[in-house]
């Protein structure tokens, strides 16, 4: 018999966060999140997203064992301002039992119906800056710090329950050339002079903070036309600055300003932390955090997290400057491969950036939706 329990206590929330550790304990590809960070994300007292969102968390039990989890989420900015009558579901993990999946999703459906919402979609987080999508290709690859891992049967469960595909993301591996291409060097010089642009160099992570708000403003401008877009709020920006600053290597951050020192483009790349996080296994006490510090300094793989370009400068070759700086930083630091973050399948402009490089589309992930 399957029973669903809504969790409310901090102890139960920790149990909720730890369930995937047991589910994927024998998987060589599952990269766990930091337990404390995950608990804080779901705590209304710690995560400012709850100013405009609400959530309920459920655990599924069978024979007194936990066999699944799910979060039901309503982002009220999305519902009220963007007029999307949607309830989100996320943090979805389950054993290979269709009845467990059905029972968990029925709780999301009930919650959405109580608020007169029209459809559910997931897995997603609270906003478009959170993890999203069921993996449908790339099961033999480590997930990155900002993506979920899952077994192949997840998508099969969705299809059996008559969910329809919604958004699809693709991810790439890009091989770093042994030297910066001459045409990139020449073209970047031309673009820099033509538009009177300047590159900013950073020595310390804290120096980047001055431009952080402008970066998120560019993200809002860059991705506002995409189907999953929800405007990033200032309180979220403040949280992300605090959360990700310790992971940044300033040498991998590229910022471009115009003649008036206005930020017009940026990119954020980080050394890959997948192997380090796997070794940490959800814990952050000092000795385990050494894995992060080692990954920052000695790594042959990087992860391309964010890129933003002012619409006024899109399709004007500004990305050549970004790639030139990144390529040179990679060569100085022994980076041989870069993995992109998930890119929406219809975002052809971003995917076109990799066309001049040896690359492989190695992962696909997708959200699913169903009318309530």
């Amino acid at each position: 018999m399957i029973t669903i329990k809504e969790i409310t206590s901090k102890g139960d929330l920790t149990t909720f966060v730890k369930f995937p550790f047991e589910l994927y304990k024998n998987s060589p590809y599952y990269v766990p999140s930091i337990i404390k960070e995950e608990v804080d994300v779901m705590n209304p007292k710690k995560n400012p997203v709850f100013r405009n969102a609400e959530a309920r968390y459920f655990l599924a039990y069978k024979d007194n064992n936990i066999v699944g989890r799910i979060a039901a989420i309503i982002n009220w900015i999305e519902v009220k301002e963007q007029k999307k009558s949607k309830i989100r579901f996320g943090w979805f993990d389950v054993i290979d039992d269709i009845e467990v999946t059905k029972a968990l999703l029925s709780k999301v459906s009930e919650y959405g119906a109580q608020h007169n919402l029209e459809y559910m979609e997931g897995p997603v987080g609270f906003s478009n800056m959170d993890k999203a999508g069921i993996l449908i290709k790339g099961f033999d690859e480590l997930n990155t710090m900002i993506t979920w891992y899952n077994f192949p049967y997840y998508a099969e469960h969705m299809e059996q329950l008559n969910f329809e595909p919604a958004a699809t993301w693709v991810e790439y591996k890009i091989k770093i050339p042994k030297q910066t291409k001459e045409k990139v060097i020449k073209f970047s010089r031309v673009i820099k002079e033509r538009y009177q642009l300047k590159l900013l160099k950073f020595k310390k992570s804290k120096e980047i903070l001055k431009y952080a708000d402008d970066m998120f403003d560019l993200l809002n401008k860059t991705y506002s036309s995409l189907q999953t877009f929800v405007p990033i709020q200032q309180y979220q920006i403040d949280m992300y600055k605090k959360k990700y600053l310790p992971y940044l290597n300033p040498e991998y951050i590229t910022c471009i300003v115009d003649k008036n020192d206005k930020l017009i483009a940026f990119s954020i790349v980080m050394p890959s932390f997948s192997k380090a996080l796997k070794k940490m296994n959800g814990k952050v006490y000092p000795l385990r955090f050494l894995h992060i510090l080692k990954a920052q300094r000695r790594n042959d793989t990087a992860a391309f997290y964010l890129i933003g370009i002012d619409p006024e400068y899109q399709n004007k070759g500004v990305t050549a400057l970004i790639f030139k700086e990144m390529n040179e930083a990679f060569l100085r630091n022994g980076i041989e491969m870069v993995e992109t973050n998930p890119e929406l399948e219809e975002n052809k402009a971003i995917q076109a950036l990799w066309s001049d490089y040896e690359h492989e589309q190695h992962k696909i992930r997708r959200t699913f939706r169903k009318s309530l």
Side-chain angles (χ1 to χ4, degrees):
M1 179 180 176
I2 300 166
T3 57
I4 305 297
K5 174 185 176 182
E6 181 174 359
I7 63 172
T8 54
S9 71
K10 184 177 179 180
D12 283 344
L13 193 56
T14 301
T15 300
F16 180 93
V17 168
K18 286 184 175 180
F19 171 65
F21 288 74
E22 176 65 23
L23 183 64
Y24 300 110
K25 65 181 179 181
N26 296 320
S27 170
Y29 307 112
Y30 168 68
V31 176
S33 300
I34 301 298
I35 294 169
K36 182 181 183 304
E37 289 184 358
E38 286 285 273
V39 171
D40 286 350
V41 163
M42 298 177 190
N43 185 345
K45 295 180 180 179
K46 296 289 186 70
N47 189 346
V49 76
F50 285 96
R51 297 179 192 177
N52 290 293
E54 59 182 83
R56 293 168 68 181
Y57 312 111
F58 301 94
L59 284 170
Y61 289 81
K62 187 175 183 180
D63 300 327
N64 294 318
N65 296 313
I66 299 174
V67 291
R69 69 170 188 172
I70 202 165
I73 301 163
I74 303 175
N75 182 315
W76 288 113
I77 292 177
E78 183 175 49
V79 174
K80 294 180 178 179
E81 296 182 15
Q82 297 186 305
K83 307 302 180 184
K84 295 181 179 179
S85 188
K86 174 171 77 177
I87 183 166
R88 297 165 165 245
F89 66 89
W91 286 273
F92 169 64
D93 286 291
V94 67
I95 65 170
D96 191 6
D97 185 329
I98 189 68
E99 294 303 319
V100 177
T101 297
K102 184 177 180 179
L104 286 168
L105 289 168
S106 69
K107 288 297 181 181
V108 179
S109 179
E110 290 172 12
Y111 188 32
Q114 289 171 12
H115 291 280
N116 299 311
L117 299 176
E118 297 176 358
Y119 67 99
M120 70 170 82
E121 183 180 343
V124 291
F126 292 99
S127 74
N128 56 315
M129 290 295 292
D130 293 324
K131 300 176 183 180
I134 284 175
L135 192 68
I136 60 173
K137 175 187 177 182
F139 302 106
D140 57 351
E141 301 274 355
L142 291 171
N143 58 289
T144 67
M145 186 170 68
I146 62 168
T147 59
W148 283 311
Y149 182 80
N150 61 260
F151 290 129
Y153 58 78
Y154 280 44
E156 296 170 8
H157 284 196
M158 292 295 163
E159 292 164 1
Q160 289 177 47
L161 294 172
N162 298 314
F163 277 72
E164 298 178 348
T168 299
W169 290 265
V170 292
E171 298 171 52
Y172 294 86
K173 279 183 178 178
I174 304 162
K175 189 174 182 180
I176 303 303
K178 297 298 183 182
Q179 60 183 21
T180 306
K181 295 181 179 181
E182 188 62 31
K183 69 174 184 178
V184 172
I185 296 173
K186 291 180 179 179
F187 189 51
S188 63
R189 186 186 306 122
V190 170
I191 296 302
K192 187 176 179 181
E193 293 174 356
R194 178 181 298 169
Y195 299 110
Q196 301 179 61
L197 303 177
K198 292 182 290 184
L199 285 160
L200 301 180
K201 302 285 188 180
F202 303 105
K203 293 182 179 180
K204 297 180 180 179
S205 297
K206 290 184 179 179
E207 296 173 1
I208 303 165
L209 284 175
K210 177 182 176 181
Y211 299 92
D213 288 359
D214 292 335
M215 289 181 184
F216 282 98
D217 184 52
L218 277 185
L219 284 179
N220 279 335
K221 292 179 180 178
T222 302
Y223 299 108
S224 60
S225 63
L226 298 179
Q227 61 170 305
T228 61
F229 176 77
V230 178
I232 307 165
Q233 306 300 304
Q234 185 61 48
Y235 56 73
Q236 292 175 283
I237 294 172
D238 294 338
M239 181 184 70
Y240 292 132
K241 286 190 292 188
K242 182 179 179 181
K243 181 177 180 179
Y244 289 111
L245 187 65
Y247 295 98
L248 296 182
N249 181 334
E251 194 172 0
Y252 293 160
I253 310 301
T254 302
C255 285
I256 302 172
V257 297
D258 64 13
K259 62 182 179 181
N260 298 315
D261 291 326
K262 177 188 174 184
L263 187 71
I264 62 97
F266 79 93
S267 68
I268 294 178
V269 178
M270 291 191 246
S272 174
F273 294 112
S274 294
K275 293 179 180 178
L277 288 169
K278 193 162 183 63
K279 292 176 181 177
M280 291 169 69
N281 198 35
K283 308 290 197 316
V284 290
Y285 53 81
L287 289 179
R288 297 219 173 189
F289 198 75
L290 287 175
H291 295 301
I292 293 292
L293 297 178
K294 289 179 181 178
Q296 284 179 321
R297 293 170 173 79
R298 289 186 295 175
N299 213 318
D300 62 0
T301 304
F304 196 151
Y305 281 95
L306 293 172
I307 184 170
I309 301 175
D310 191 305
E312 183 181 341
Y313 286 89
Q314 291 176 11
N315 302 316
K316 291 185 177 179
V318 174
T319 51
L321 279 76
I322 292 175
F323 286 146
K324 174 182 175 295
E325 292 302 307
M326 285 196 308
N327 207 100
E328 292 175 355
F330 293 154
L331 294 175
R332 287 194 300 270
N333 291 278
I335 298 294
E336 300 175 358
M337 187 75 68
V338 175
E339 184 172 9
T340 70
N341 70 329
E343 306 158 2
L344 278 167
E345 190 175 44
E346 69 263 29
N347 194 355
K348 301 300 182 183
I350 292 295
Q351 293 159 44
L353 299 179
W354 324 128
S355 60
D356 289 335
Y357 296 85
E358 185 177 338
H359 64 280
E360 171 195 358
Q361 182 188 312
H362 67 305
K363 294 179 187 175
I364 302 175
R365 59 185 71 244
R366 180 171 293 148
T367 56
F368 292 82
R369 63 176 284 173
K370 187 176 185 180
S371 298
L372 301 182

